[in-house]
Amino acid sequence: MTTNKREMKTAQNKQAILNSLLARMHEEAFDKIKISDLCEDANLSQASFYNYFPQKSDILVYYIQLWTIKMHWLILIDKKLIGLDAIDALFDLTAKTCASQPQLMAEIVAFQAKSHKIITCPPLTEADKVVAYPDYQGIEAMAVTDLPELFAIQIQQAINAKELPDESDISTLIVSLSAIFFAVPIMFNQSPLKDIQAAFKQQLCLFRQGATNSFSS
């Protein structure tokens, strides 16, 4: 790994801000949380904050980046799953995030809706990954940049494994999975884990049926 001390310090400061936000969101609404409070928690100046996050919503984007790379590592490296099994595992892990941090997921969905596009952002640095997940061996080498890219990898794996037709339109299937990912947390916000898992399972069953039957005629 080629990460230097400055990059590590930057990653540590960014994640101190993120951790403050996550802690406060258990008690406060995202819009009510002040940047000054986040800076106080992280022991940083507001000038430093804006160097890392030009606006508060950028912290949500950073969270999604870190969460996505973590999911990729857990599913591919830890669980050793690919294709449709990997997609199922991703949504099961998503359900657990929804249940444990409902307000966070609601804010991410709201941000997605306001942006009028799928969340995208520059790739994480090696330092970002290592500071966030020091025990995840090899995570710094993983290069997934966002959720659509992770979906694309898993869909291509499913095509290669003959779980999905060779003619599958990957872009269309990414949109379908993204719709499931963002719609279920809205409809089942504050619901028990088992209800969120059941909703994701039902929608993924419909996804499989549609994806495998689209080219059968």
Side-chain angles (χ1 to χ4, degrees):
M1 188 178 68
T2 59
T3 305
N4 59 42
K5 290 182 179 180
R6 182 176 181 180
E7 291 172 334
M8 292 292 286
K9 186 62 176 177
T10 294
Q12 289 165 355
N13 289 343
K14 289 165 66 179
Q15 288 173 45
I17 293 169
L18 172 60
N19 290 336
S20 171
L21 178 70
L22 296 179
R24 285 180 174 273
M25 285 185 69
H26 285 294
E27 304 293 336
E28 304 174 65
F30 178 78
D31 289 342
K32 300 297 184 182
I33 298 173
K34 297 178 181 179
I35 289 175
S36 59
D37 291 334
L38 299 178
C39 292
E40 182 178 353
D41 292 345
N43 196 27
L44 295 168
S45 68
Q46 291 197 41
S48 295
F49 176 94
Y50 289 111
N51 283 335
Y52 304 134
F53 302 110
Q55 52 191 359
K56 190 170 66 172
S57 60
D58 289 334
I59 310 174
L60 296 177
V61 178
Y62 186 57
Y63 171 83
I64 279 288
Q65 285 181 290
L66 289 171
W67 184 88
T68 302
I69 205 78
K70 176 184 178 181
M71 294 302 103
H72 190 35
W73 189 93
L74 287 173
I75 293 166
L76 183 63
I77 305 301
D78 186 49
K79 298 179 181 294
K80 296 179 171 56
L81 299 175
I82 62 171
L84 294 181
D85 287 341
I87 291 172
D88 288 343
L90 173 61
F91 279 93
D92 185 64
L93 291 167
T94 301
K96 293 174 182 176
T97 302
C98 293
S100 64
Q101 294 185 295
Q103 185 171 313
L104 172 63
M105 290 301 296
E107 288 296 341
I108 289 171
V109 172
F111 174 72
Q112 168 69 48
K114 292 175 184 176
S115 69
H116 302 294
K117 61 182 181 180
I118 293 175
I119 296 172
T120 59
C121 40
L124 296 169
T125 66
E126 290 186 2
D128 286 319
K129 302 170 194 176
V130 171
V131 170
Y133 310 117
D135 297 328
Y136 288 35
Q137 186 174 2
I139 198 169
E140 70 278 4
M142 306 193 85
V144 173
T145 59
D146 55 28
L147 187 63
E149 184 176 352
L150 180 53
F151 284 147
I153 290 170
Q154 294 171 340
I155 291 167
Q156 187 61 63
Q157 290 170 345
I159 293 171
N160 294 343
K162 305 301 181 183
E163 297 174 325
L164 293 175
D166 291 339
E167 303 86 355
S168 297
D169 186 327
I170 293 178
S171 296
T172 298
L173 296 182
I174 289 172
V175 171
S176 297
L177 290 176
S178 297
I180 295 170
F181 182 91
F182 290 109
V184 168
I186 293 175
M187 298 182 67
F188 291 85
N189 190 31
Q190 305 291 339
S191 296
L193 174 60
K194 62 181 180 62
D195 291 347
I196 302 172
Q197 288 174 320
F200 275 135
K201 185 175 181 179
Q202 180 184 51
Q203 293 304 310
L204 288 174
C205 181
L206 295 173
F207 167 82
R208 285 177 185 243
Q209 291 175 1
T212 54
N213 294 334
S214 294
F215 300 94
S216 60
S217 59

